[in-house]
């Protein structure tokens, strides 16, 4: 599998593979990420997207590649390339199993769905964030409720709003204001 990754990544940075070993796979990934960072520092988002797209499709699983895919998703989001942003974010989920990382990626997916006008998908995505990320549950349920309200789906709005209203931590925050 590492050979496939090297074959995909090395052409992106203009290198040619003469001999294969697992070490070369890691070097190829590192070179791609370095080239992507250089492209971003120079302000060339299109080049960064070109360099990172093969990373999205790689079968290799590394937390660093999850971060690279998350950056690719953010680049696509900035260019309003909604579907590509969601593809990159979903690829990132498979790369890095850290709970905090998954929370950031799931939030980005929900935000992307909202921005692209997929209010129904956004509401469902925000509800998933609320289930998986207790620290973000209040904000995620609020956003889901707003989505349901925009869709005139009062039952779903009411359910999420009741969850927010019955949250004891939110009540204590309101009491402190």
């Amino acid at each position: 599998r590492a050979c496939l990754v090297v074959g995909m990544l090395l052409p992106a940075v203009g290198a040619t593979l003469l001999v294969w070993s697992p070490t070369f796979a890691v070097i190829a990934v590192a070179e791609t990420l370095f080239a992507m960072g250089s492209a971003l520092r120079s302000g060339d988002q299109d080049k960064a997207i070109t360099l990172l797209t093969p990373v999205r499709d790689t079968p290799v699983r590394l937390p660093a590649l999850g971060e690279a895919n998350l950056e690719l998703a953010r680049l696509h989001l900035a260019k309003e390339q909604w579907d590509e942003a969601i593809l990159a974010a979903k690829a990132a989920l498979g790369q890095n199993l850290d709970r905090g990382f998954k929370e950031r990626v799931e939030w980005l997916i929900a935000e992307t769905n909202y921005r692209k006008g997929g209010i129904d998908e956004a509401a469902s995505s925000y509800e998933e964030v609320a289930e998986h990320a207790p620290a973000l549950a209040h904000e995620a349920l609020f956003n889901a409720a707003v989505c349901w309200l925009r869709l005139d789906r009062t039952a779903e709005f009411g359910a999420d709003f009741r969850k927010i209203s019955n949250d004891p931590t939110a009540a204590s925050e309101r009491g402190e204001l």
Side-chain angles (χ1 to χ4, degrees):
R1 285 199 265 168
C3 185
L4 175 64
V5 172
V6 172
M8 289 169 32
L9 296 179
L10 284 178
V13 294
T16 304
L17 178 65
L18 299 176
V19 179
W20 177 84
S21 79
T23 304
F24 284 117
V26 173
I27 291 170
V29 168
E31 287 179 353
T32 299
L33 296 178
F34 178 78
M36 178 272 308
S38 295
L40 286 177
R41 283 187 295 280
S42 70
D44 192 348
Q45 290 184 340
D46 292 328
K47 183 175 182 181
I49 288 172
T50 300
L51 290 168
L52 285 175
T53 298
V55 172
R56 181 191 68 204
D57 301 325
T58 182
V60 174
R61 301 289 169 238
L62 295 170
L65 294 181
E67 291 291 344
N69 278 314
L70 182 57
E71 185 60 34
L72 178 60
R74 288 183 183 127
L75 290 168
H76 283 303
L77 184 61
K79 292 183 156 290
E80 299 182 355
Q81 298 168 337
W82 314 123
D83 294 332
E84 292 87 351
I86 290 171
L87 275 175
K90 287 183 178 179
L93 285 173
Q95 296 284 353
N96 190 334
L97 302 178
D98 177 68
R99 187 173 131 195
F101 178 78
K102 285 182 157 285
E103 291 171 1
R104 290 187 296 147
V105 174
E106 288 176 353
W107 188 276
L108 186 124
I109 291 170
E111 181 182 346
T112 303
N113 279 320
Y114 183 83
R115 287 186 182 186
K116 81 173 189 173
I119 306 301
D120 197 357
E121 294 106 350
S124 298
S125 296
Y126 281 122
E127 287 179 337
E128 286 180 37
V129 170
E131 285 179 33
H132 299 119
L136 300 173
H138 185 79
E139 284 180 74
L141 285 172
F142 178 83
N143 287 352
V146 169
C147 290
W148 295 129
L149 189 61
R150 286 192 60 199
L151 292 169
D152 199 26
R153 292 177 54 180
T154 56
E156 291 91 342
F157 166 77
D160 285 343
F161 187 75
R162 275 190 295 284
K163 289 176 189 173
I164 297 168
S165 300
N166 294 332
D167 183 3
T169 58
S172 68
E173 289 172 7
R174 284 192 301 267
E176 291 175 12
L177 294 176

